[in-house]
Amino acid sequence: MPQAQGWSEYYDELRDRPPRSTLIAALDAFGEASVESLAIDLGCGDGRDVVEILRRGWSVVAVDAEPQALAKLAERNLPGSEKITPIVSRMEDVPLPLGLQLVNSSFAMPLCEPERFHELWARIVEALPAGGRFSGQWYGPRDGWIGRPGITFLERDAAVALLDGFDIEMFDEEEADSTTPRGKPKHWHIFHIVARKR
Ligand SMILES: C[S@@+](CC[C@H](N)C(=O)[O-])C[C@H]1O[C@@H](n2cnc3c(N)ncnc32)[C@H](O)[C@@H]1O
């Protein structure tokens, strides 16, 4: 994972990549957006997924701990950007807005220590109404970053257990050797998740 000063390069590297498949699946499952469609993107980076959330007609609260991320999101000058509420905050500390239907966190939610991760997940579960969705990635125990402080890794069974009370629409386990966006070799163990609250 890049250090704080390294996120800027990360954003530049991934700037033109398409939105994450977990987000696409969640948005597709909702169908047409309404004026009330409200999402939050936790650890949004420079807005790879925000672009798509807006394009589909949703409003979105865009949260990232790095001011650089939201500065780069603003530089995109997206049509409909008045529907973005940018917040510089650690996701563990951000209040979840009323009326939320989608919580998206692509490759970001594990970037907090386990106790805060579980607290945050409990808040997400509480904030979502029946029919609301979570989309994003969690890390498994064979991920190459295991042991790094400040990151949460979940056994598969523990991850599935957290989704109790949800209909699981996607739970794809990926284990692969490849490189990070910054070109460092890494073993990835990822759960790609889309889940709908019952
Ligand atoms: C791997 S990037 C993913 C960015 C984007 N969601 C994507 O899919 O490309 C992780 C992002 O999460 C942010 N981040 C890391 N820890 C965070 C935390 N505890 N709270 C909020 N943002 C965090 C980083 O600043 C970075 O922009």
Side-chain angles (χ1 to χ4, degrees):
M1 185 53 44
Q3 301 304 303
Q5 68 272 23
W7 282 117
S8 183
E9 281 169 44
Y10 175 95
Y11 303 138
D12 291 342
E13 185 67 31
L14 298 192
R15 182 173 176 80
D16 296 322
R17 299 275 181 95
R20 307 288 185 177
S21 57
T22 35
L23 172 72
I24 300 278
L27 290 172
D28 286 351
F30 277 111
E32 290 268 300
S34 75
V35 279
E36 276 137 38
S37 297
L38 174 65
I40 192 165
D41 192 2
L42 299 173
C44 62
D46 75 334
R48 176 176 178 166
D49 284 351
V50 170
V51 171
E52 183 65 11
I53 296 171
L54 269 196
R55 199 182 69 77
R56 302 275 191 121
W58 289 62
S59 299
V60 58
V61 180
V63 179
D64 203 284
E66 288 298 318
Q68 276 270 3
L70 295 174
K72 286 184 184 264
L73 171 60
E75 279 169 23
R76 285 180 185 263
N77 262 327
L78 296 171
S81 60
E82 67 281 356
K83 292 173 94 174
I84 305 175
T85 305
I87 302 181
V88 177
S89 169
R90 289 193 66 82
M91 64 183 93
E92 304 92 300
D93 300 325
V94 79
L96 299 174
L98 281 176
L100 201 55
Q101 284 157 285
L102 171 63
V103 176
N104 182 64
S105 186
S106 296
F107 289 88
M109 194 177 155
L111 303 180
C112 49
E113 62 198 55
E115 191 183 325
R116 301 303 309 277
F117 177 99
H118 287 282
E119 259 173 47
L120 173 61
W121 179 244
R123 286 197 300 119
I124 290 171
V125 173
E126 198 181 310
L128 282 174
R133 286 184 170 81
F134 169 77
S135 52
Q137 283 70 28
W138 293 345
Y139 292 151
R142 292 183 296 283
D143 193 272
W145 285 333
I146 189 88
R148 290 198 188 186
I151 306 184
T152 297
F153 303 89
L154 297 165
E155 296 288 343
R156 184 190 171 96
D157 288 354
V160 171
L162 287 180
L163 296 168
D164 191 32
F166 285 74
D167 293 322
I168 297 178
E169 298 177 320
M170 182 193 295
F171 192 93
D172 291 348
E173 183 168 0
E174 179 185 354
E175 211 171 328
D177 289 309
S178 75
T179 50
T180 66
R182 302 178 84 212
K184 297 222 168 113
K186 184 185 175 227
H187 184 76
W188 298 90
H189 186 197
I190 305 167
F191 304 116
H192 299 274
I193 298 166
V194 180
R196 179 180 187 271
K197 190 172 163 185
R198 281 197 286 273

